[in-house]
Amino acid sequence: MDFNLTEEHLMIRDAARDFARTELLPGVIERDDKQQFPQELVKKMGDLGFMGIMVDPKYGGSGMDAISYVLIMEELSKIDASASVMVSVNNSLVCYGLEAFGTEEQKQKYLTKLATGEQIGAFCLSEPEAGSDATSQRTTAIDMGDHYVINGTKNWITNGGRSDVYLVIAQTDREKGHRGINAFIVEKGMEGFDIGPKEDKLGIRGSDTHTLQFNDVKVPKENRIGEDGFGFKFAMKTLSGGRIGIAAQALGIASGAYELALKYSKERKAFGTEICNHQAIAFKLADMYTEIEAARMLVMKAAWDKDQGNNYDMSSAMAKLYASKVAMEQTVEAVQIHGGNGFVKEYHVERLMRDAKITQIYEGTSEIQKIVISRGVIKG
Ligand code: CAA
């Protein structure tokens, strides 16, 4: 067993850290405030290879491993979780889904542009009546021979407004339950596909989240991913990897808040000394550091499982469950250590606290992770 990162991993981590500090930090408060994220920053992330981290270079990707992916995700998330969710969804839900299960034609047509960041993608599973209960898809995709016709509504879609490519899950044959669900590639601009207004959110406000409407959208048959009826398993397999990305995002939010709290506690004085010298604060720092290290171990283990070709359904669920809990709890502590300043935007920790909450909700709530873990434990 070796807990050390390789030279290459360290270089990748440092490149992401450098990018986050020099490019993402300036303007992060304004982007959060105005709910925007400029396209030129997405392009820069694409130029650095962050939009197709694990994709084979023959499709325009960076050909890195999952350990590199979580290192990049942690560094971006320390500064700007809105940037990192775009990276996570594009990498582990969209690019991975196409690379693992798409046809060669689909990879050539879509993946090559998504992996370089020339285009960006969205993953459309959630619906007004199908969030956690993902098999209850109301969106329909009727088989018309050479094409499908999609009707329905998708909710809370990350990258919903800015994407070019949308992976849409829909029910083709209700009688067959989850075996009647399919996944489709839908392009922005297809007739009948409308993007609703942007959601006004508590956190990750720079990322755009939208409701999508499908009104008789004709999708060619060659845009179905996998065999007829593979859509639900496609979503589940893809989400297992997505959960590693969100776990790494939660880890980054927690470690970013911790680093700010540690620095502040060494500068701020009260009762004649820096506040880190008071046990009330020192013990908080000890707990934060310990819990963040524990979360890091789970996140790395899940990424390692993926790199080794092991099943990672349970390790990704455990990593996300625990890292998101640590993110929520430790960002609250970071605000507390900052006192009144923690409540003010310019100190960054209040944003990290707001951003932390979504990591307990999207790509499967904490309760859903417990379903996955408990079923795995009982099955043995
Ligand atoms: N890999 C492969 N197959 C899987 C699987 C996996 N990880 N998990 C389940 N399956 C299969 C099962 O084996 C079963 O197939 P068979 O009947 O052939 O054996 C089938 O899928 C149905 O599984 P379940 O009976 O377990 O289904 P369920 O109704 O009990 O639901 C669930 C399981 C885990 C709760 C699932 O519904 C789930 O994950 N829900 C949460 C959905 C979610 O994560 N949504 C996030 C939205 S995406 C998002 O947030 C992106 C974003 O923008 C940031």
Side-chain angles (χ1 to χ4, degrees):
M1 191 179 288
D2 184 357
F3 285 96
N4 291 308
L5 292 172
T6 64
E7 281 300 315
E8 199 184 339
H9 285 140
L10 289 169
M11 274 170 52
I12 290 163
R13 186 196 64 186
D14 290 348
R17 185 173 291 175
D18 188 50
F19 170 78
R21 285 180 183 168
T22 57
E23 301 282 351
L24 292 181
L25 185 57
V28 65
I29 294 170
E30 197 187 352
R31 293 196 297 274
D32 172 75
D33 211 29
K34 296 194 172 152
Q35 297 205 85
Q36 56 183 215
F37 196 86
Q39 189 54 30
E40 72 228 41
L41 276 179
V42 180
K43 186 178 177 313
K44 282 182 183 173
M45 294 197 287
D47 292 344
L48 284 165
F50 294 170
M51 300 309 281
I53 296 167
M54 293 166 288
V55 176
D56 192 319
K58 77 177 179 194
Y59 299 118
S62 306
M64 297 187 223
D65 57 9
I67 296 282
S68 306
Y69 174 49
V70 301
L71 291 171
I72 294 167
M73 280 297 297
E74 180 180 357
E75 293 305 323
L76 302 184
S77 307
K78 281 181 185 177
I79 307 284
D80 188 349
S82 296
S84 70
V85 71
M86 285 179 222
V87 168
S88 186
V89 167
N90 200 66
N91 273 278
S92 46
L93 298 185
V94 181
C95 287
Y96 171 80
L98 285 171
E99 187 167 22
F101 306 111
T103 62
E104 188 55 31
E105 290 72 31
Q106 289 169 349
K107 291 178 200 177
Q108 292 298 342
K109 187 169 177 190
Y110 300 105
L111 181 58
T112 50
K113 293 191 183 116
L114 291 161
T116 55
E118 183 187 334
Q119 292 195 340
I120 191 162
F123 183 82
C124 314
L125 174 68
S126 303
E127 299 185 356
E129 306 293 330
S132 292
D133 185 6
T135 53
S136 296
Q137 294 287 305
R138 302 263 170 100
T139 297
T140 54
I142 305 303
D143 189 343
M144 306 296 280
D146 65 339
H147 66 274
Y148 287 86
V149 173
I150 301 186
N151 277 289
T153 304
K154 293 289 174 182
N155 264 28
W156 313 296
I157 303 302
T158 304
N159 301 337
R162 71 187 322 138
S163 287
D164 306 280
V165 176
Y166 297 77
L167 305 189
V168 180
I169 316 297
Q171 185 83 53
T172 297
D173 188 342
R174 197 165 300 284
E175 306 250 297
K176 291 187 183 160
H178 71 78
R179 294 194 186 89
I181 291 174
N182 278 305
F184 301 93
I185 305 167
V186 176
E187 295 175 26
K188 181 179 256 167
M190 280 183 166
E191 207 180 327
F193 173 28
D194 296 317
I195 296 163
K198 184 151 73 174
E199 300 287 358
D200 189 0
K201 306 193 297 285
L202 171 75
I204 57 162
R205 288 170 54 81
S207 88
D208 68 313
T209 308
H210 292 255
T211 295
L212 308 176
Q213 293 284 350
F214 300 85
N215 300 307
D216 290 332
V217 180
K218 269 175 80 174
V219 178
K221 206 146 216 180
E222 62 263 27
N223 281 27
R224 189 184 73 210
I225 303 173
E227 294 296 306
D228 186 26
F230 179 63
F232 189 72
K233 290 198 177 168
F234 168 81
M236 290 297 109
K237 285 170 184 275
T238 304
L239 276 166
S240 280
R243 289 166 186 165
I244 300 176
I246 300 305
Q249 180 186 48
L251 172 65
I253 292 170
S255 56
Y258 162 76
E259 287 172 14
L260 289 168
L262 176 66
K263 182 169 177 287
Y264 185 82
S265 74
K266 289 178 172 179
E267 291 163 3
R268 173 81 177 174
K269 288 190 177 159
F271 304 102
T273 184
E274 289 78 12
I275 59 171
C276 63
N277 296 323
H278 296 298
Q279 201 175 63
I281 302 298
F283 279 15
K284 280 190 197 300
L285 293 168
D287 283 341
M288 290 171 96
Y289 189 74
T290 306
E291 291 193 16
I292 289 166
E293 274 300 293
R296 182 172 288 110
M297 293 301 146
L298 285 174
V299 173
M300 287 296 181
K301 170 65 167 50
W304 181 85
D305 275 339
K306 186 163 191 289
D307 286 336
Q308 297 302 308
N310 301 338
N311 184 298
Y312 50 92
D313 295 339
M314 272 181 78
S315 54
S316 63
M318 288 190 289
K320 182 179 180 293
L321 174 68
Y322 189 72
S324 61
K325 176 176 172 285
V326 169
M328 197 64 251
E329 290 174 0
Q330 301 312 340
T331 52
V332 171
E333 288 295 71
V335 170
Q336 191 69 16
I337 289 172
H338 280 75
N341 284 329
F343 214 60
V344 174
K345 290 195 174 189
E346 68 177 281
Y347 285 83
H348 297 287
V349 283
E350 64 81 33
R351 186 186 69 258
L352 291 166
M353 184 182 82
R354 287 186 285 106
D355 288 347
K357 187 60 207 168
I358 191 62
T359 66
Q360 295 184 303
I361 298 174
Y362 59 18
E363 302 208 16
T365 61
S366 296
E367 292 73 16
I368 290 295
Q369 307 313 319
K370 288 184 192 180
I371 290 178
V372 173
I373 299 161
S374 60
R375 283 182 183 173
V377 166
I378 293 163
K379 203 169 131 203

PDB file of all heavy atoms in Angstrom, residues 229-263:
ATOM      1  N   GLY A 229     -33.841  -0.388 -23.975  1.00  0.00           N
ATOM      2  CA  GLY A 229     -34.103  -0.714 -22.573  1.00  0.00           C
ATOM      3  C   GLY A 229     -32.897  -0.577 -21.652  1.00  0.00           C
ATOM      4  O   GLY A 229     -32.981  -0.870 -20.462  1.00  0.00           O
ATOM      5  N   PHE A 230     -31.782  -0.088 -22.196  1.00  0.00           N
ATOM      6  CA  PHE A 230     -30.547   0.031 -21.384  1.00  0.00           C
ATOM      7  C   PHE A 230     -30.495   1.341 -20.582  1.00  0.00           C
ATOM      8  O   PHE A 230     -29.623   1.527 -19.740  1.00  0.00           O
ATOM      9  CB  PHE A 230     -29.326  -0.062 -22.327  1.00  0.00           C
ATOM     10  CG  PHE A 230     -28.000   0.074 -21.636  1.00  0.00           C
ATOM     11  CD1 PHE A 230     -27.582  -0.853 -20.691  1.00  0.00           C
ATOM     12  CD2 PHE A 230     -27.157   1.150 -21.927  1.00  0.00           C
ATOM     13  CE1 PHE A 230     -26.356  -0.716 -20.044  1.00  0.00           C
ATOM     14  CE2 PHE A 230     -25.921   1.294 -21.284  1.00  0.00           C
ATOM     15  CZ  PHE A 230     -25.523   0.360 -20.334  1.00  0.00           C
ATOM     16  N   GLY A 231     -31.439   2.240 -20.810  1.00  0.00           N
ATOM     17  CA  GLY A 231     -31.336   3.608 -20.266  1.00  0.00           C
ATOM     18  C   GLY A 231     -31.195   3.717 -18.765  1.00  0.00           C
ATOM     19  O   GLY A 231     -30.429   4.539 -18.265  1.00  0.00           O
ATOM     20  N   PHE A 232     -31.934   2.883 -18.004  1.00  0.00           N
ATOM     21  CA  PHE A 232     -31.846   3.019 -16.544  1.00  0.00           C
ATOM     22  C   PHE A 232     -30.485   2.535 -16.046  1.00  0.00           C
ATOM     23  O   PHE A 232     -29.856   3.185 -15.209  1.00  0.00           O
ATOM     24  CB  PHE A 232     -32.982   2.267 -15.833  1.00  0.00           C
ATOM     25  CG  PHE A 232     -33.014   2.577 -14.366  1.00  0.00           C
ATOM     26  CD1 PHE A 232     -33.444   3.817 -13.915  1.00  0.00           C
ATOM     27  CD2 PHE A 232     -32.579   1.659 -13.428  1.00  0.00           C
ATOM     28  CE1 PHE A 232     -33.439   4.136 -12.557  1.00  0.00           C
ATOM     29  CE2 PHE A 232     -32.572   1.965 -12.070  1.00  0.00           C
ATOM     30  CZ  PHE A 232     -33.009   3.206 -11.640  1.00  0.00           C
ATOM     31  N   LYS A 233     -30.034   1.426 -16.602  1.00  0.00           N
ATOM     32  CA  LYS A 233     -28.709   0.924 -16.169  1.00  0.00           C
ATOM     33  C   LYS A 233     -27.616   1.896 -16.608  1.00  0.00           C
ATOM     34  O   LYS A 233     -26.629   2.093 -15.891  1.00  0.00           O
ATOM     35  CB  LYS A 233     -28.477  -0.491 -16.694  1.00  0.00           C
ATOM     36  CG  LYS A 233     -29.385  -1.455 -15.979  1.00  0.00           C
ATOM     37  CD  LYS A 233     -28.996  -2.892 -16.073  1.00  0.00           C
ATOM     38  CE  LYS A 233     -30.014  -3.666 -15.226  1.00  0.00           C
ATOM     39  NZ  LYS A 233     -29.978  -5.092 -15.392  1.00  0.00           N
ATOM     40  N   PHE A 234     -27.811   2.496 -17.773  1.00  0.00           N
ATOM     41  CA  PHE A 234     -26.868   3.533 -18.225  1.00  0.00           C
ATOM     42  C   PHE A 234     -26.779   4.637 -17.176  1.00  0.00           C
ATOM     43  O   PHE A 234     -25.693   5.061 -16.775  1.00  0.00           O
ATOM     44  CB  PHE A 234     -27.345   4.109 -19.570  1.00  0.00           C
ATOM     45  CG  PHE A 234     -26.618   5.352 -19.988  1.00  0.00           C
ATOM     46  CD1 PHE A 234     -25.379   5.283 -20.590  1.00  0.00           C
ATOM     47  CD2 PHE A 234     -27.180   6.616 -19.757  1.00  0.00           C
ATOM     48  CE1 PHE A 234     -24.693   6.444 -20.956  1.00  0.00           C
ATOM     49  CE2 PHE A 234     -26.501   7.769 -20.119  1.00  0.00           C
ATOM     50  CZ  PHE A 234     -25.255   7.678 -20.721  1.00  0.00           C
ATOM     51  N   ALA A 235     -27.947   5.080 -16.703  1.00  0.00           N
ATOM     52  CA  ALA A 235     -27.962   6.177 -15.709  1.00  0.00           C
ATOM     53  C   ALA A 235     -27.283   5.740 -14.414  1.00  0.00           C
ATOM     54  O   ALA A 235     -26.481   6.479 -13.831  1.00  0.00           O
ATOM     55  CB  ALA A 235     -29.400   6.619 -15.440  1.00  0.00           C
ATOM     56  N   MET A 236     -27.577   4.541 -13.960  1.00  0.00           N
ATOM     57  CA  MET A 236     -27.011   4.072 -12.682  1.00  0.00           C
ATOM     58  C   MET A 236     -25.496   3.895 -12.773  1.00  0.00           C
ATOM     59  O   MET A 236     -24.748   4.290 -11.878  1.00  0.00           O
ATOM     60  CB  MET A 236     -27.653   2.733 -12.275  1.00  0.00           C
ATOM     61  CG  MET A 236     -29.103   2.841 -11.867  1.00  0.00           C
ATOM     62  SD  MET A 236     -29.347   3.870 -10.397  1.00  0.00           S
ATOM     63  CE  MET A 236     -30.122   5.305 -11.102  1.00  0.00           C
ATOM     64  N   LYS A 237     -25.049   3.299 -13.866  1.00  0.00           N
ATOM     65  CA  LYS A 237     -23.598   3.065 -14.015  1.00  0.00           C
ATOM     66  C   LYS A 237     -22.859   4.394 -14.124  1.00  0.00           C
ATOM     67  O   LYS A 237     -21.785   4.577 -13.567  1.00  0.00           O
ATOM     68  CB  LYS A 237     -23.323   2.216 -15.277  1.00  0.00           C
ATOM     69  CG  LYS A 237     -23.667   0.743 -15.113  1.00  0.00           C
ATOM     70  CD  LYS A 237     -23.599   0.053 -16.479  1.00  0.00           C
ATOM     71  CE  LYS A 237     -24.026  -1.401 -16.417  1.00  0.00           C
ATOM     72  NZ  LYS A 237     -22.949  -2.310 -16.032  1.00  0.00           N
ATOM     73  N   THR A 238     -23.445   5.310 -14.857  1.00  0.00           N
ATOM     74  CA  THR A 238     -22.813   6.612 -15.045  1.00  0.00           C
ATOM     75  C   THR A 238     -22.787   7.389 -13.728  1.00  0.00           C
ATOM     76  O   THR A 238     -21.772   8.002 -13.369  1.00  0.00           O
ATOM     77  CB  THR A 238     -23.583   7.384 -16.142  1.00  0.00           C
ATOM     78  OG1 THR A 238     -23.602   6.570 -17.307  1.00  0.00           O
ATOM     79  CG2 THR A 238     -22.926   8.690 -16.481  1.00  0.00           C
ATOM     80  N   LEU A 239     -23.899   7.321 -12.988  1.00  0.00           N
ATOM     81  CA  LEU A 239     -23.965   8.054 -11.714  1.00  0.00           C
ATOM     82  C   LEU A 239     -22.971   7.514 -10.687  1.00  0.00           C
ATOM     83  O   LEU A 239     -22.499   8.268  -9.824  1.00  0.00           O
ATOM     84  CB  LEU A 239     -25.385   8.004 -11.147  1.00  0.00           C
ATOM     85  CG  LEU A 239     -26.338   9.058 -11.711  1.00  0.00           C
ATOM     86  CD1 LEU A 239     -27.787   8.714 -11.365  1.00  0.00           C
ATOM     87  CD2 LEU A 239     -26.001  10.456 -11.192  1.00  0.00           C
ATOM     88  N   SER A 240     -22.634   6.244 -10.753  1.00  0.00           N
ATOM     89  CA  SER A 240     -21.640   5.710  -9.798  1.00  0.00           C
ATOM     90  C   SER A 240     -20.318   6.469  -9.937  1.00  0.00           C
ATOM     91  O   SER A 240     -19.674   6.793  -8.936  1.00  0.00           O
ATOM     92  CB  SER A 240     -21.383   4.221 -10.043  1.00  0.00           C
ATOM     93  OG  SER A 240     -22.404   3.474  -9.465  1.00  0.00           O
ATOM     94  N   GLY A 241     -19.919   6.751 -11.165  1.00  0.00           N
ATOM     95  CA  GLY A 241     -18.690   7.538 -11.383  1.00  0.00           C
ATOM     96  C   GLY A 241     -18.912   9.002 -11.056  1.00  0.00           C
ATOM     97  O   GLY A 241     -18.018   9.678 -10.524  1.00  0.00           O
ATOM     98  N   GLY A 242     -20.113   9.498 -11.362  1.00  0.00           N
ATOM     99  CA  GLY A 242     -20.436  10.896 -11.047  1.00  0.00           C
ATOM    100  C   GLY A 242     -20.303  11.163  -9.556  1.00  0.00           C
ATOM    101  O   GLY A 242     -19.870  12.238  -9.128  1.00  0.00           O
ATOM    102  N   ARG A 243     -20.676  10.158  -8.767  1.00  0.00           N
ATOM    103  CA  ARG A 243     -20.627  10.330  -7.306  1.00  0.00           C
ATOM    104  C   ARG A 243     -19.195  10.477  -6.810  1.00  0.00           C
ATOM    105  O   ARG A 243     -18.962  11.112  -5.770  1.00  0.00           O
ATOM    106  CB  ARG A 243     -21.385   9.175  -6.637  1.00  0.00           C
ATOM    107  CG  ARG A 243     -22.884   9.325  -6.870  1.00  0.00           C
ATOM    108  CD  ARG A 243     -23.719   8.099  -6.552  1.00  0.00           C
ATOM    109  NE  ARG A 243     -25.108   8.365  -6.958  1.00  0.00           N
ATOM    110  CZ  ARG A 243     -26.044   7.439  -7.093  1.00  0.00           C
ATOM    111  NH1 ARG A 243     -25.756   6.170  -6.853  1.00  0.00           N
ATOM    112  NH2 ARG A 243     -27.272   7.781  -7.468  1.00  0.00           N
ATOM    113  N   ILE A 244     -18.244   9.908  -7.535  1.00  0.00           N
ATOM    114  CA  ILE A 244     -16.828  10.129  -7.160  1.00  0.00           C
ATOM    115  C   ILE A 244     -16.496  11.612  -7.376  1.00  0.00           C
ATOM    116  O   ILE A 244     -15.841  12.250  -6.547  1.00  0.00           O
ATOM    117  CB  ILE A 244     -15.871   9.233  -7.993  1.00  0.00           C
ATOM    118  CG1 ILE A 244     -16.186   7.749  -7.775  1.00  0.00           C
ATOM    119  CG2 ILE A 244     -14.408   9.550  -7.647  1.00  0.00           C
ATOM    120  CD1 ILE A 244     -15.351   6.793  -8.620  1.00  0.00           C
ATOM    121  N   GLY A 245     -16.964  12.158  -8.478  1.00  0.00           N
ATOM    122  CA  GLY A 245     -16.708  13.573  -8.774  1.00  0.00           C
ATOM    123  C   GLY A 245     -17.329  14.495  -7.736  1.00  0.00           C
ATOM    124  O   GLY A 245     -16.693  15.452  -7.264  1.00  0.00           O
ATOM    125  N   ILE A 246     -18.574  14.206  -7.337  1.00  0.00           N
ATOM    126  CA  ILE A 246     -19.240  15.068  -6.354  1.00  0.00           C
ATOM    127  C   ILE A 246     -18.613  14.878  -4.970  1.00  0.00           C
ATOM    128  O   ILE A 246     -18.495  15.829  -4.195  1.00  0.00           O
ATOM    129  CB  ILE A 246     -20.767  14.817  -6.333  1.00  0.00           C
ATOM    130  CG1 ILE A 246     -21.380  15.103  -7.724  1.00  0.00           C
ATOM    131  CG2 ILE A 246     -21.450  15.673  -5.259  1.00  0.00           C
ATOM    132  CD1 ILE A 246     -21.106  16.480  -8.307  1.00  0.00           C
ATOM    133  N   ALA A 247     -18.174  13.665  -4.665  1.00  0.00           N
ATOM    134  CA  ALA A 247     -17.465  13.437  -3.398  1.00  0.00           C
ATOM    135  C   ALA A 247     -16.190  14.288  -3.367  1.00  0.00           C
ATOM    136  O   ALA A 247     -15.858  14.907  -2.353  1.00  0.00           O
ATOM    137  CB  ALA A 247     -17.126  11.958  -3.239  1.00  0.00           C
ATOM    138  N   ALA A 248     -15.486  14.336  -4.491  1.00  0.00           N
ATOM    139  CA  ALA A 248     -14.263  15.146  -4.565  1.00  0.00           C
ATOM    140  C   ALA A 248     -14.597  16.631  -4.491  1.00  0.00           C
ATOM    141  O   ALA A 248     -13.837  17.429  -3.926  1.00  0.00           O
ATOM    142  CB  ALA A 248     -13.501  14.835  -5.859  1.00  0.00           C
ATOM    143  N   GLN A 249     -15.736  17.006  -5.049  1.00  0.00           N
ATOM    144  CA  GLN A 249     -16.176  18.404  -4.933  1.00  0.00           C
ATOM    145  C   GLN A 249     -16.424  18.748  -3.459  1.00  0.00           C
ATOM    146  O   GLN A 249     -15.980  19.795  -2.962  1.00  0.00           O
ATOM    147  CB  GLN A 249     -17.458  18.625  -5.739  1.00  0.00           C
ATOM    148  CG  GLN A 249     -17.959  20.056  -5.646  1.00  0.00           C
ATOM    149  CD  GLN A 249     -19.309  20.247  -6.312  1.00  0.00           C
ATOM    150  OE1 GLN A 249     -20.244  19.485  -6.095  1.00  0.00           O
ATOM    151  NE2 GLN A 249     -19.400  21.278  -7.139  1.00  0.00           N
ATOM    152  N   ALA A 250     -17.125  17.864  -2.751  1.00  0.00           N
ATOM    153  CA  ALA A 250     -17.408  18.090  -1.331  1.00  0.00           C
ATOM    154  C   ALA A 250     -16.099  18.175  -0.542  1.00  0.00           C
ATOM    155  O   ALA A 250     -15.931  19.053   0.329  1.00  0.00           O
ATOM    156  CB  ALA A 250     -18.285  16.961  -0.791  1.00  0.00           C
ATOM    157  N   LEU A 251     -15.171  17.292  -0.860  1.00  0.00           N
ATOM    158  CA  LEU A 251     -13.858  17.312  -0.193  1.00  0.00           C
ATOM    159  C   LEU A 251     -13.176  18.668  -0.408  1.00  0.00           C
ATOM    160  O   LEU A 251     -12.617  19.259   0.522  1.00  0.00           O
ATOM    161  CB  LEU A 251     -12.988  16.180  -0.765  1.00  0.00           C
ATOM    162  CG  LEU A 251     -11.528  16.151  -0.333  1.00  0.00           C
ATOM    163  CD1 LEU A 251     -11.402  15.894   1.163  1.00  0.00           C
ATOM    164  CD2 LEU A 251     -10.764  15.070  -1.126  1.00  0.00           C
ATOM    165  N   GLY A 252     -13.245  19.168  -1.642  1.00  0.00           N
ATOM    166  CA  GLY A 252     -12.619  20.448  -1.958  1.00  0.00           C
ATOM    167  C   GLY A 252     -13.276  21.611  -1.231  1.00  0.00           C
ATOM    168  O   GLY A 252     -12.591  22.511  -0.727  1.00  0.00           O
ATOM    169  N   ILE A 253     -14.609  21.584  -1.163  1.00  0.00           N
ATOM    170  CA  ILE A 253     -15.326  22.659  -0.444  1.00  0.00           C
ATOM    171  C   ILE A 253     -14.903  22.638   1.024  1.00  0.00           C
ATOM    172  O   ILE A 253     -14.600  23.693   1.616  1.00  0.00           O
ATOM    173  CB  ILE A 253     -16.857  22.472  -0.601  1.00  0.00           C
ATOM    174  CG1 ILE A 253     -17.284  22.712  -2.053  1.00  0.00           C
ATOM    175  CG2 ILE A 253     -17.615  23.405   0.341  1.00  0.00           C
ATOM    176  CD1 ILE A 253     -18.733  22.323  -2.364  1.00  0.00           C
ATOM    177  N   ALA A 254     -14.834  21.436   1.611  1.00  0.00           N
ATOM    178  CA  ALA A 254     -14.447  21.316   3.027  1.00  0.00           C
ATOM    179  C   ALA A 254     -12.997  21.754   3.235  1.00  0.00           C
ATOM    180  O   ALA A 254     -12.694  22.521   4.164  1.00  0.00           O
ATOM    181  CB  ALA A 254     -14.622  19.867   3.491  1.00  0.00           C
ATOM    182  N   SER A 255     -12.105  21.293   2.377  1.00  0.00           N
ATOM    183  CA  SER A 255     -10.688  21.624   2.600  1.00  0.00           C
ATOM    184  C   SER A 255     -10.416  23.096   2.284  1.00  0.00           C
ATOM    185  O   SER A 255      -9.578  23.735   2.930  1.00  0.00           O
ATOM    186  CB  SER A 255      -9.749  20.681   1.839  1.00  0.00           C
ATOM    187  OG  SER A 255     -10.026  20.679   0.483  1.00  0.00           O
ATOM    188  N   GLY A 256     -11.159  23.667   1.321  1.00  0.00           N
ATOM    189  CA  GLY A 256     -11.015  25.100   1.047  1.00  0.00           C
ATOM    190  C   GLY A 256     -11.426  25.931   2.255  1.00  0.00           C
ATOM    191  O   GLY A 256     -10.745  26.890   2.652  1.00  0.00           O
ATOM    192  N   ALA A 257     -12.555  25.547   2.870  1.00  0.00           N
ATOM    193  CA  ALA A 257     -13.046  26.281   4.050  1.00  0.00           C
ATOM    194  C   ALA A 257     -12.076  26.105   5.222  1.00  0.00           C
ATOM    195  O   ALA A 257     -11.796  27.054   5.966  1.00  0.00           O
ATOM    196  CB  ALA A 257     -14.439  25.781   4.427  1.00  0.00           C
ATOM    197  N   TYR A 258     -11.555  24.887   5.357  1.00  0.00           N
ATOM    198  CA  TYR A 258     -10.600  24.613   6.444  1.00  0.00           C
ATOM    199  C   TYR A 258      -9.339  25.474   6.284  1.00  0.00           C
ATOM    200  O   TYR A 258      -8.856  26.082   7.252  1.00  0.00           O
ATOM    201  CB  TYR A 258     -10.231  23.120   6.438  1.00  0.00           C
ATOM    202  CG  TYR A 258      -8.970  22.830   7.190  1.00  0.00           C
ATOM    203  CD1 TYR A 258      -8.952  22.808   8.586  1.00  0.00           C
ATOM    204  CD2 TYR A 258      -7.768  22.626   6.509  1.00  0.00           C
ATOM    205  CE1 TYR A 258      -7.772  22.585   9.278  1.00  0.00           C
ATOM    206  CE2 TYR A 258      -6.591  22.410   7.186  1.00  0.00           C
ATOM    207  CZ  TYR A 258      -6.598  22.393   8.578  1.00  0.00           C
ATOM    208  OH  TYR A 258      -5.431  22.192   9.258  1.00  0.00           O
ATOM    209  N   GLU A 259      -8.812  25.541   5.073  1.00  0.00           N
ATOM    210  CA  GLU A 259      -7.587  26.324   4.847  1.00  0.00           C
ATOM    211  C   GLU A 259      -7.808  27.801   5.185  1.00  0.00           C
ATOM    212  O   GLU A 259      -6.946  28.449   5.782  1.00  0.00           O
ATOM    213  CB  GLU A 259      -7.104  26.164   3.393  1.00  0.00           C
ATOM    214  CG  GLU A 259      -6.489  24.796   3.148  1.00  0.00           C
ATOM    215  CD  GLU A 259      -6.176  24.519   1.679  1.00  0.00           C
ATOM    216  OE1 GLU A 259      -6.190  25.479   0.868  1.00  0.00           O
ATOM    217  OE2 GLU A 259      -5.927  23.351   1.337  1.00  0.00           O
ATOM    218  N   LEU A 260      -8.979  28.315   4.802  1.00  0.00           N
ATOM    219  CA  LEU A 260      -9.284  29.718   5.122  1.00  0.00           C
ATOM    220  C   LEU A 260      -9.416  29.913   6.634  1.00  0.00           C
ATOM    221  O   LEU A 260      -8.924  30.906   7.187  1.00  0.00           O
ATOM    222  CB  LEU A 260     -10.580  30.148   4.432  1.00  0.00           C
ATOM    223  CG  LEU A 260     -10.503  30.302   2.905  1.00  0.00           C
ATOM    224  CD1 LEU A 260     -11.903  30.444   2.307  1.00  0.00           C
ATOM    225  CD2 LEU A 260      -9.644  31.506   2.515  1.00  0.00           C
ATOM    226  N   ALA A 261     -10.051  28.949   7.305  1.00  0.00           N
ATOM    227  CA  ALA A 261     -10.254  29.060   8.757  1.00  0.00           C
ATOM    228  C   ALA A 261      -8.918  28.978   9.497  1.00  0.00           C
ATOM    229  O   ALA A 261      -8.671  29.728  10.458  1.00  0.00           O
ATOM    230  CB  ALA A 261     -11.199  27.965   9.244  1.00  0.00           C
ATOM    231  N   LEU A 262      -8.044  28.091   9.045  1.00  0.00           N
ATOM    232  CA  LEU A 262      -6.730  27.945   9.693  1.00  0.00           C
ATOM    233  C   LEU A 262      -5.939  29.253   9.577  1.00  0.00           C
ATOM    234  O   LEU A 262      -5.386  29.762  10.568  1.00  0.00           O
ATOM    235  CB  LEU A 262      -5.957  26.787   9.041  1.00  0.00           C
ATOM    236  CG  LEU A 262      -4.538  26.568   9.547  1.00  0.00           C
ATOM    237  CD1 LEU A 262      -4.546  26.129  11.012  1.00  0.00           C
ATOM    238  CD2 LEU A 262      -3.811  25.509   8.694  1.00  0.00           C
ATOM    239  N   LYS A 263      -5.919  29.797   8.352  1.00  0.00           N
ATOM    240  CA  LYS A 263      -5.180  31.044   8.111  1.00  0.00           C
ATOM    241  C   LYS A 263      -5.749  32.171   8.988  1.00  0.00           C
ATOM    242  O   LYS A 263      -5.009  32.893   9.650  1.00  0.00           O
ATOM    243  CB  LYS A 263      -5.286  31.401   6.624  1.00  0.00           C
ATOM    244  CG  LYS A 263      -4.557  32.631   6.183  1.00  0.00           C
ATOM    245  CD  LYS A 263      -4.523  32.692   4.644  1.00  0.00           C
ATOM    246  CE  LYS A 263      -3.863  33.950   4.135  1.00  0.00           C
ATOM    247  NZ  LYS A 263      -4.660  35.158   4.294  1.00  0.00           N
TER     248      LYS A 263
END
